[in-house]
Amino acid sequence: MILLDEPMRKHTTFGVGGPADVFVVPDSVDEAVATVRACRKLGVPYFVLGKGSNLLVSDEGFRGVIVALEKLNGIEVVGATIECEAGASLGSVAERACELGLCGFEFAGGIPGTVGGACFMNAGAYDGCMADVLRSVDVIDADGEVRTIDADDLALGYRTSRIRTDGLVVLRARIELAPGDSQEIRAKMRELNHRRKEKQPLEYRSAGSTFKRPEGHFAGKLIMDAGLKGYAVGGACVSTKHAGFVVNTGGATATDVRSVISHVQDEVERQFGVRLEPEVRFLGW
Ligand SMILES: Cc1cc2nc3c(=O)[nH]c(=O)nc-3n(C[C@H](O)[C@H](O)[C@H](O)COP(=O)(O)OP(=O)(O)OC[C@H]3O[C@@H](n4cnc5c(N)ncnc54)[C@H](O)[C@@H]3O)c2cc1C
């Protein structure tokens, strides 16, 4: 499927963002590879999209091609290894793992992204992260070749990876889990989701934690101590429930969100000498 001038607000959890010139939804891994290769050959800017759950697209949108991997959602299980396509949601992989009595992926069940986005970000929560369970990925490398890379060679760090620094495109991932008890896994997933609901402003659209955790501090605490809870520009504000989240309370523009982020960075730096680094990715600015 190919769409023109597709509003990115429809494809981001923030619910903001202007049009992408071209929005391609490959039906298969081969189509995804062909699309990325064509963009590279023609020198057209492209951007690989998962669920848009860590993304702030500008109101002007993106001049180029969005390659949305939402249809690459196949999941296969061999023993304790789950092989999934990059567009599979973390929730569906966690659900499958739970059904099959495979433990170690409970941390990811409540993260609203795809496997590809999670590898790129080395997503994590509640003492777990992709680096703990990822065995290998199939990627399109810088030369346009498809190859398999072991997780040990991906330099997975706090919200970063070689996928990010080397501009690799994840096509498939192999996640290695351990045999466990379905009921215990289910109970753990429920408990983690309960903790999320209690602490996070899930009633509003956001991209999760807006900022990375600065060394020796917690972003949310610094923002709260700076007196910025509830600070708003237009329809965007610092959540009053969890200061680490900038939320869209309704009708926010991307510029509103960016303004709140910039003000929080400046104010926290002015008061505490710590420059917060966004965890959220910016596109089209
Ligand atoms: C309510 C809420 C809670 C959240 N909680 C957490 C949490 O607990 N822990 C956490 O780590 N994150 C959390 N997040 C953030 C987000 O869900 C993760 O960062 C997730 O991994 C992003 O995945 P995505 O598919 O949505 O990626 P996108 O937002 O679509 O993309 C993010 C980046 O990954 C790149 N990317 C996506 N797919 C691929 C691919 N196949 N190959 C190469 N690059 C790719 C994109 O180009 C982009 O640069 C939360 C977000 C929300 C809205």
Side-chain angles (χ1 to χ4, degrees), residues 27-38:
D27 278 321
S28 64
V29 166
D30 286 350
E31 262 188 44
V33 174
T35 308
V36 169
R37 281 184 181 154

Side-chain angles (χ1 to χ4, degrees), residues 13 47-55 69 86 90 111-114 116-118 120-121 123-125 159 163 168-170 196 200 202 206-208 245 279 281:
T13 53
F47 183 87
V48 178
L49 181 72
K51 295 246 181 241
S53 66
N54 204 29
L55 204 58
L69 300 187
L90 295 169
I111 303 176
T114 62
F120 178 100
M121 297 295 299
R159 300 299 171 267
I163 298 159
L168 307 175
V169 177
V170 180
R196 261 181 204 279
Q200 301 182 359
L202 301 182
S206 77
F245 281 54
E279 178 172 324
R281 311 274 301 152

Side-chain angles (χ1 to χ4, degrees), residues 194-263:
H194 179 70
R195 279 162 68 178
R196 261 181 204 279
K197 273 193 199 132
E198 255 186 358
K199 293 260 160 67
Q200 301 182 359
L202 301 182
E203 60 279 26
Y204 292 116
R205 306 189 68 155
S206 77
S209 297
T210 312
F211 301 99
K212 290 187 182 178
R213 193 176 54 241
E215 245 186 79
H217 300 274
F218 289 102
K221 170 114 178 38
L222 288 173
I223 297 166
M224 194 169 68
D225 292 350
L228 291 168
K229 258 192 174 179
Y231 172 81
V233 177
C237 90
V238 175
S239 165
T240 49
K241 188 170 178 184
H242 186 319
F245 281 54
V246 174
V247 295
N248 176 358
T249 52
T253 63
T255 307
D256 292 342
V257 177
R258 183 97 195 226
S259 301
V260 171
I261 291 174
S262 297
H263 181 75

Side-chain angles (χ1 to χ4, degrees), residues 155-206:
L156 294 158
Y158 175 57
R159 300 299 171 267
T160 191
S161 67
R162 246 185 84 198
I163 298 159
R164 180 173 181 163
T165 52
D166 293 4
L168 307 175
V169 177
V170 180
L171 300 168
R172 289 186 204 87
R174 279 159 221 94
I175 292 165
E176 198 157 85
L177 302 176
D181 176 79
S182 282
Q183 280 184 358
E184 280 173 24
I185 295 166
R186 171 81 55 212
K188 185 160 178 198
M189 280 167 57
R190 284 214 180 105
E191 190 225 316
L192 296 183
N193 278 338
H194 179 70
R195 279 162 68 178
R196 261 181 204 279
K197 273 193 199 132
E198 255 186 358
K199 293 260 160 67
Q200 301 182 359
L202 301 182
E203 60 279 26
Y204 292 116
R205 306 189 68 155
S206 77

Side-chain angles (χ1 to χ4, degrees), residues 1 3 6 8 11 19-26 35 39 45-50 55 57 61-69 283:
M1 183 169 66
L3 303 168
E6 177 66 4
M8 289 303 291
H11 304 281
D21 286 343
V22 183
F23 190 95
V24 181
V25 186
T35 308
C39 289
Y46 68 91
F47 183 87
V48 178
L49 181 72
L55 204 58
V57 184
F62 179 60
R63 304 290 74 81
V65 177
I66 298 283
V67 186
L69 300 187
L283 179 67

